[in-house]
Amino acid sequence: MTDEPETTKAAPQIATTRRGFLGAGVAAGGALLGAGAARAAGPDPLITEVQPWAQGLGDGVDASPYGLPIRFEGDVVRRNVEWLTADTISSINFTPIHALDGTITPQGCAFERHHSGAIELAKEDYRLMINGLVDTPLIFTYADLERFPRETRTYFLECAANTGMEWAGSQLNGAQFTHGMIHNMDYTGVPLRLLLEEAGVKPEGKWVLVEGADASSNGRSIPLEKAMDDCLVAFKANGEALRKEHGYPVRLCVPGWEGNMWIKWLRRIEVGDQPWEQREETSKYTDTLADGTSRKFTWVMDAKSIVTSPSPQMPIKHGPGPLVITGLAWSGRGAITRVDVTVDGGKTWMPARLAAPGQDMAVSRFYLDHVWDGSEMLVQSRAIDSTGYVQPTKTELRDFRGLNSIYHNNCIQTWWVKANGEAENVEVS
């Protein structure tokens, strides 16, 4: 989508330095925590008195053989929006991005998207076929795949319909629901290139068809150039086996491209000389324009970002004073090089601090150390990637593509933060 509009690369405001930030915090509230974080005048019983949790023994090492989050974090879970689909068998739930920090998504929080439900497939029953325009058709077992040289790469996976409800206006009130069809994990597996080279691709081979072992099969066509570049046949995520809902025991990773192509329960790869025109790349996963025509094969997920806190599910509770504004940014074309944040609806922008240098096809975490004066804010973020692409506004995308699409919405998102700290999904015209 290189013909998409770019936002104006406005010169950002000078960021507040850490020293200035601390000084402003003291000036605003009389202490680093600010006026909204009152301190007790006398001794704090939580410090001076022995509490129940220190009066006896805790759980033994075998209390939970597979570690689970403590009950106090029980609300950090994937969530479904019931009215989006008729049945959860072919539906989606959303990563709680508002409640996470860092960049790596725990597997247990990573969103699900199914076309015919999550299946159970044992390693012993797993088979992967490579056929079509190859010198030698091959079938691999799970044990066969483990014998190939493996790699570990950090990649984001984003559903093409992420933020799709926002095309027509502000719809869902929460970062989890507007942008939660994404995860970012460390994937381990075999480069698809090695398997194709083992089979020997014929000169006329230009495309591959990838299919899953579930009832939908979810076939997608991928250019051979991409398949031989960075695609990964993965069997681990974040160091452990894939979860059932993420394609156990083997899935395909197609870095930077829409999640529908990341086939789960990968069973077959056929080499051909042209795309297969499957349902998921013709009637679905195409971009319908204002004139009714549709663009297909718009695989790349362009630069995008979202402020996760403050946001509707993460209101400000501490009152005026120092405030950490944080969020996520990613691009399917390269690495995130900069994220700007505004608190006045785009009138002025401040460069955020990236937690680490951006990585190709991986999520970056950004922070802006801000001093909130307690007034209303219109909070936005915009991402810039290593190609120079700048995340566009909703208006710019609509001017180009109209309101008929549900896919590839990488618009700038606005949260209206009210004086009481609560936030709401709004649009700024």
Side-chain angles (χ1 to χ4, degrees):
M1 291 177 17
T2 55
D3 51 355
E4 293 284 324
E6 293 188 359
T7 57
T8 303
K9 298 181 181 179
Q13 286 188 330
I14 301 299
T16 303
T17 65
R18 181 63 178 168
R19 181 177 297 174
F21 167 68
L22 292 173
V26 172
L32 176 59
L33 294 178
R39 296 179 180 274
D44 188 335
L46 287 173
I47 296 175
T48 60
E49 298 178 8
V50 178
Q51 300 301 314
W53 51 82
Q55 296 178 14
L57 301 177
D59 292 337
V61 294
D62 290 329
S64 182
Y66 188 91
L68 298 173
I70 195 168
R71 61 186 176 89
F72 306 120
E73 299 296 322
D75 62 333
V76 183
V77 293
R78 298 177 288 215
R79 289 180 172 86
N80 183 30
V81 176
E82 294 182 359
W83 52 264
L84 282 181
T85 56
D87 195 293
T88 57
I89 295 299
S90 180
S91 189
I92 195 160
N93 59 22
F94 302 83
T95 304
I97 58 173
H98 64 289
L100 303 178
D101 214 315
T103 57
I104 298 300
T105 310
Q107 284 204 73
C109 287
F111 83 101
E112 303 175 60
R113 170 69 169 110
H114 307 308
H115 292 261
S116 56
I119 63 172
E120 288 193 351
L121 176 58
K123 292 178 182 177
E124 295 76 14
D125 297 327
Y126 178 76
R127 300 293 184 271
L128 172 60
M129 174 189 289
I130 297 182
N131 67 337
L133 297 177
V134 295
D135 296 330
T136 307
L138 297 173
I139 296 177
F140 300 95
T141 65
Y142 184 91
D144 292 335
L145 295 180
E146 289 187 307
R147 298 176 65 187
F148 278 84
R150 68 187 68 169
E151 297 179 357
T152 296
R153 295 286 184 266
T154 305
Y155 293 135
F156 77 83
L157 184 161
E158 182 182 16
C159 179
N162 200 22
T163 321
M165 290 295 294
E166 300 298 301
W167 274 110
S170 301
Q171 301 290 324
L172 301 172
N173 209 34
Q176 180 172 19
F177 304 114
T178 59
H179 290 72
M181 298 183 198
I182 188 171
H183 72 237
N184 188 67
M185 296 200 285
D186 289 334
Y187 279 104
T188 301
V190 179
L192 177 54
R193 177 188 72 256
L194 298 183
L195 303 182
L196 291 172
E197 290 174 349
E198 189 80 3
V201 177
K202 293 182 180 294
E204 58 269 34
K206 304 298 180 185
W207 291 77
V208 298
L209 172 70
V210 290
E211 291 181 339
D214 59 319
S216 74
S217 78
N218 199 44
R220 288 298 302 262
S221 303
I222 300 176
L224 182 64
E225 182 180 9
K226 178 68 172 178
M228 299 292 281
D229 181 18
D230 55 5
C231 290
L232 194 67
V233 177
F235 41 77
K236 302 286 185 182
N238 296 344
E240 61 179 353
L242 295 170
R243 296 292 173 89
K244 170 184 172 180
E245 63 268 29
H246 299 139
Y248 177 94
V250 176
R251 79 171 307 160
L252 183 66
C253 297
V254 188
W257 289 20
E258 61 188 23
N260 181 259
M261 307 179 82
W262 293 50
I263 302 302
K264 294 183 287 189
W265 313 290
L266 181 66
R267 74 172 180 193
R268 190 169 75 92
I269 301 170
E270 181 179 349
V271 179
D273 59 1
Q274 58 187 336
W276 276 258
E277 307 289 352
Q278 294 276 345
R279 185 192 79 146
E280 303 296 345
E281 54 200 22
T282 52
S283 66
K284 305 294 182 184
Y285 297 95
T286 57
D287 301 312
T288 304
L289 304 181
D291 62 1
T293 61
S294 294
R295 301 186 309 172
K296 65 180 180 179
F297 298 156
T298 53
W299 305 296
V300 178
M301 305 305 293
D302 283 313
K304 190 171 180 178
S305 67
I306 177 68
V307 171
T308 55
S309 179
S311 64
Q313 294 167 287
M314 293 293 286
I316 302 171
K317 297 181 178 180
H318 54 61
L323 168 69
V324 177
I325 299 174
T326 186
L328 302 171
W330 58 94
S331 174
R333 296 190 185 276
I336 293 298
T337 57
R338 196 178 91 205
V339 178
D340 296 332
V341 174
T342 178
V343 297
D344 56 17
K347 294 178 182 178
T348 56
W349 293 89
M350 297 169 282
R353 169 173 51 90
L354 296 182
Q359 300 180 53
D360 286 349
M361 293 33 161
V363 164
S364 290
R365 168 69 62 175
F366 64 86
Y367 300 101
L368 179 70
D369 300 320
H370 181 64
V371 178
W372 183 43
D373 62 6
S375 61
E376 294 184 353
M377 297 186 291
L378 293 172
V379 179
Q380 300 173 339
S381 63
R382 69 178 179 195
I384 299 95
D385 68 20
S386 52
T387 70
Y389 180 94
V390 181
Q391 183 182 359
T393 65
K394 282 187 179 181
T395 299
E396 289 171 318
L397 281 180
R398 288 169 178 160
D399 286 346
F400 187 82
R401 282 199 266 157
L403 296 174
N404 295 327
S405 183
I406 59 172
Y407 301 115
H408 295 277
N409 186 353
N410 66 315
C411 68
I412 290 175
Q413 174 69 42
T414 306
W415 303 129
W416 170 32
V417 180
K418 306 173 187 179
N420 64 2
E422 295 179 354
E424 184 178 333
N425 182 4
V426 299
E427 289 197 25
V428 175
S429 61

